[in-house]
Amino acid sequence: MTENPIPPRDEEDPRERDLARRSGTPAVGVWLILFGLLLLGLVVYGLSAVL
């Protein structure tokens, strides 16, 4: 009998299981969006002070 290089589906790789668990989170975090809005506000404030 020859060795099958592809494991059966019921034998899950733990690394793939971890990736599947983490993929439920959004790509862009809420804190990153809030920080971006705050930074944009600071830029607008600085430009309005200069002009």
Side-chain angles (χ1 to χ4, degrees):
M1 191 183 307
T2 61
E3 289 290 324
N4 190 359
I6 301 172
R9 280 302 272 170
D10 55 349
E11 292 180 19
E12 292 184 15
D13 187 8
R15 292 173 294 187
E16 290 181 14
R17 200 175 329 127
D18 287 343
L19 287 174
R21 184 188 61 203
R22 281 185 256 153
S23 66
T25 60
V28 178
V30 176
W31 291 111
L32 186 60
I33 294 171
L34 289 175
F35 179 73
L37 289 174
L38 179 67
L39 187 61
L40 181 64
L42 288 173
V43 168
V44 170
Y45 178 75
L47 286 175
S48 67
V50 170
L51 299 177

